[in-house]
Amino acid sequence: MKRNLILIIATLTFASSCKKDFLEVEPIGKTVARTLNDYNNLFYNGNLLGTGFADIQIPMSDDVAAVDTYLTPASVAAQRSFKWEKDIYNEDENAVEFTSMMSQIYLMNKIINEVMNSEEGTDAAKQTLRAEARATRAWSYFMLINYYGKPYNRATSSSDPGFPIVTVADAAGNNFERASVEQVYQFIIADLVESIPLLSRNSVIRARMTKAGALGLLGKVYVFMGRYHDALNQLDQLPPNLPTTVTTEVLNYNTFMAVGGGWGYSPTVNSYTGGPLAFSSNESIFARNFLSSYMVTSNVLLLTPETIALYSANDQRKKLYTTRVTPLAANATFPAGLTRRYGFNTIGSYGINYPEYFLLRAECEARLNNLTAAKADLEILRVRRMPAAEATVNIGTQEQMIRFVIDERKREYAFLGYRWFDMRRLSVDPIFANDVFTHKTYDMQGNIVSTLTLPKERLTLRLPLKIMAQNSNITNNP
C-alpha cells in the first residue's frame, strides 16, 4: 500500500484526538509521547473508544427491511448498502469503518513499538501496556478482516485475499500488500495468545482491554474459524478472570424494562429513556460502541416481521421496538408488522459483552453435541430476558440446538449489525450454507414492492474507492 493510505490514517487520528495538547504532530506524522503515562493516555483517544458512524453492518444485515417512502430520500450510502451494491462510497468519500479501525491500529502500533523505551515506570508496567495494545489491535483487525476478507474457510483461507498487516506507526510507510485471510487470523491469534498472560484483570474503565476481554475475543475468533473446542477452552477461562472492581452481569430485562424499571419504560408511548450504554453497562467486558444513523428519529430501516416473529409472547426485548412512525406526533404506524428500533443512537454491545459470552459458549457446546450444557447457558441468558416459564429450552437434536442458538443471537442483537457478521461466517457452514439472504422493500399499504437477494460475493466489502484510487497496486475484491 502506498504512502497515501498511512497519511490518511495519521491525519484522521490526530484530527479527532481528545488530547490535542498532548498529541502534537511531529514531522512525518509522529506524536509526542515520552513517559509511560503518556503512552497510557493514548488509550483515551476518541478514535479508540468508539468508531463513529461505522454502522454499515446494520443495513447489510438481513434482519432489516424498508418502506419506500422513507428509503427513497435516504442517503446514497444507506441506499447502496441496503441494496448490497458493489461500491458503497464515492471516490471522494471516506469509509468510516475503514478509517476508524486504521486510526486505532496506528495508535496501537505506536504503543507496541515504543512503550518499552518510554521514560519512568517499571518494565512490568510497560509490558502490561504493550500487551493491552496488542490485544486491542487484535480486535481492530478482527473487525477489518470481517469487513474486507472473505468468511473464514479452512480450505481456502490461505489463498483468499485478506487485509494488509500494518505493524508500524509510520506515516511515510509504503509498499503494503494484502495478506491472506489465514495470515490475518493467525496474526490476531498471536497478538492475543502472547498478550493474555500479561494483561491485568482490572481496568480503569470498561473500554480498556482486560484479561477477560482478551479471552472472550480469542474465543470469538475461534468460533468464527469453526474451532469450537479451542473456543470453549478460552471461554471457560473467562469467568474466573472477570474484573473484581466492577460488576459483570446479564441485566434482568424483566425488571429493567418494566414500568418504573431502570430504563424508564412507558407503555403509553412504547418508549424508554434509559438504555444499554457500553461504557457504563454491567454487561460490558470490553466496551466498544458506534453511532447508528438508523435509530432515534429515523424510519429508514425497520426490523423485519420475520425477526419479530422469533420472539415469544413476553420476551422483554420486544419492547426495544415500536410500530410507531417518527415523529410520534404523526400518530402513524408502519405496515406489515414492521417495527423500528429506538432509544439511544449509540450501539453499546459492539465489543465483548457478557450476554454474548453465554451465546458463544452455547454454540460451542451445541457444535460439540453437549446439548445439556448448551441448554444451561442459553437459559442463563433467557431467564433474564423473559419470564422463567418462557425461558426454558427444549431441543431434541444437535442441529436443532445449533439453529436455536443462532436464532437466539438474532433475538439478542436484532438491528444492531451483529447479524451481518453471522451471515458471513454461516455462509460457509454446512448447516446454513444454502440459506438465502434477502431484503424487502414495502409500500405504505404493506405490499412488497421489491425483493433483493444477496449475491455471495457481496458478503465481503470491497475496499473503498478512495483507497483504491491512491493504491493502484492493490487488487480489490470482486
Side-chain angles (χ1 to χ4, degrees):
M1 235 177 237
K2 294 184 178 179
R3 177 178 176 179
N4 287 340
L5 171 57
I6 305 301
L7 285 174
I8 287 173
I9 298 163
T11 300
L12 286 167
T13 299
F14 303 131
S16 63
S17 171
C18 60
K19 300 280 289 182
K20 287 184 179 178
D21 57 330
F22 171 65
L23 296 178
E24 296 296 333
V25 180
E26 289 185 342
I28 320 181
K30 292 183 180 180
T31 60
V32 176
R34 296 186 177 89
T35 69
L36 177 64
N37 190 56
D38 290 340
Y39 286 97
N40 181 66
N41 285 338
L42 287 176
F43 281 97
Y44 299 105
N45 180 282
N47 274 2
L48 192 62
L49 301 176
T51 56
F53 281 94
D55 62 354
I56 194 172
Q57 53 270 19
I58 295 179
M60 301 283 280
S61 299
D62 72 341
D63 58 3
V64 299
V67 172
D68 55 4
T69 301
Y70 305 110
L71 181 64
T72 301
S75 70
V76 172
Q79 295 187 58
R80 288 175 177 172
S81 51
F82 179 76
K83 295 175 182 178
W84 293 313
E85 292 189 8
K86 185 176 180 180
D87 293 304
I88 308 302
Y89 304 99
N90 294 328
E91 194 171 307
D92 61 344
E93 293 179 309
N94 288 321
V96 65
E97 62 275 358
F98 180 96
T99 56
S100 61
M101 294 300 170
M102 291 306 295
S103 297
Q104 294 181 11
I105 289 169
Y106 183 94
L107 282 172
M108 293 303 97
N109 283 339
K110 183 170 182 64
I111 297 170
I112 292 164
N113 295 327
E114 299 176 13
V115 70
M116 295 306 298
N117 295 320
S118 63
E119 300 170 6
E120 304 174 3
T122 65
D123 283 348
K126 294 175 184 179
Q127 288 174 354
T128 297
L129 204 65
R130 185 172 185 268
E132 183 180 352
R134 290 192 68 177
T136 304
R137 180 176 68 180
W139 182 82
S140 298
Y141 260 102
F142 183 60
M143 296 301 298
L144 283 168
I145 197 61
N146 278 283
Y147 283 130
Y148 299 110
K150 285 186 177 181
Y152 186 88
N153 184 332
R154 186 174 301 178
T156 63
S157 62
S158 295
S159 57
D160 289 335
F163 195 85
I165 295 176
V166 181
T167 58
V168 294
D170 182 3
N174 54 35
N175 198 32
F176 289 95
E177 298 179 355
R178 293 181 71 177
S180 70
V181 169
E182 181 68 31
Q183 288 172 323
V184 174
Y185 269 89
Q186 293 305 323
F187 178 71
I188 292 168
I189 292 169
D191 265 356
L192 291 169
V193 168
E194 182 172 327
S195 299
I196 286 171
L198 300 171
L199 285 169
S200 298
R201 183 170 184 177
N202 296 307
S203 66
V204 177
I205 60 173
R206 294 178 190 267
R208 299 286 295 267
M209 183 69 80
T210 61
K211 184 167 292 188
L215 287 166
L217 175 57
L218 184 54
K220 186 171 182 175
V221 170
Y222 283 142
V223 168
F224 275 54
M225 298 175 74
R227 294 171 56 175
Y228 302 110
H229 187 271
D230 292 332
L232 197 56
N233 283 340
Q234 301 303 316
L235 296 171
D236 282 344
Q237 298 177 56
L238 189 150
N241 285 290
L242 284 170
T244 59
T245 54
V246 295
T247 299
T248 306
E249 62 181 338
V250 179
L251 298 177
N252 189 345
Y253 283 14
N254 294 303
T255 55
F256 268 79
M257 295 299 292
V259 176
W263 286 351
Y265 178 72
S266 171
T268 57
V269 294
N270 190 23
S271 67
Y272 60 96
T273 56
L277 297 178
F279 298 155
S280 60
S281 173
N282 286 357
E283 293 190 336
S284 292
I285 298 175
F286 173 61
R288 280 293 181 269
N289 66 46
F290 66 94
L291 301 175
S292 170
S293 311
Y294 306 107
M295 294 188 194
V296 186
T297 59
S298 174
N299 298 316
V300 172
L301 295 180
L302 306 169
L303 194 67
T304 66
E306 292 83 359
T307 304
I308 282 291
L310 293 173
Y311 294 98
S312 60
N314 297 297
D315 193 322
Q316 299 297 304
R317 291 171 292 196
K318 288 197 297 185
K319 294 179 179 178
L320 299 169
Y321 309 91
T322 179
T323 60
R324 298 185 67 183
V325 174
T326 183
L328 296 180
N331 203 29
T333 59
F334 297 109
L338 297 164
T339 59
R340 65 179 177 89
R341 181 143 181 158
Y342 62 110
F344 290 102
N345 69 340
T346 301
I347 309 302
S349 54
Y350 196 32
I352 302 299
N353 64 85
Y354 210 30
E356 191 179 21
Y357 160 77
F358 290 103
L359 290 169
L360 291 171
R361 274 184 57 90
E363 182 172 350
C364 291
E365 290 154 349
R367 301 278 188 176
L368 299 172
N369 206 24
N370 188 346
L371 305 190
T372 301
K375 168 185 167 69
D377 276 326
L378 284 169
E379 289 178 353
I380 289 173
L381 171 64
R382 287 171 57 81
V383 78
R384 291 166 174 81
R385 298 300 193 240
M386 64 197 73
E390 292 180 12
T392 302
V393 177
N394 294 306
I395 302 295
T397 69
Q398 181 183 21
E399 181 171 332
Q400 288 175 339
M401 182 65 84
I402 293 170
R403 289 186 177 276
F404 189 91
V405 172
I406 299 303
D407 283 346
E408 195 65 42
R409 290 182 65 84
K410 292 180 185 178
R411 287 184 282 266
E412 182 67 16
Y413 298 114
F415 210 97
L416 298 183
Y418 271 61
R419 176 61 182 162
W420 169 248
F421 301 111
D422 282 345
M423 287 164 58
R424 284 174 39 85
R425 69 182 179 95
L426 295 175
S427 69
V428 294
D429 185 301
I431 295 176
F432 301 93
N434 293 323
D435 286 5
V436 176
F437 307 120
T438 62
H439 273 166
K440 295 177 182 178
T441 303
Y442 296 78
D443 62 21
M444 284 302 290
Q445 289 69 49
N447 302 305
I448 297 173
V449 295
S450 70
T451 300
L452 301 170
T453 300
L454 173 67
K456 284 295 179 75
E457 61 267 22
R458 293 281 73 79
L459 284 164
T460 304
L461 296 181
R462 281 167 54 82
L463 291 167
L465 292 178
K466 186 172 185 177
I467 299 302
M468 294 304 301
Q470 298 166 345
N471 298 272
S472 57
N473 58 313
I474 296 293
T475 301
N476 211 340
N477 297 320

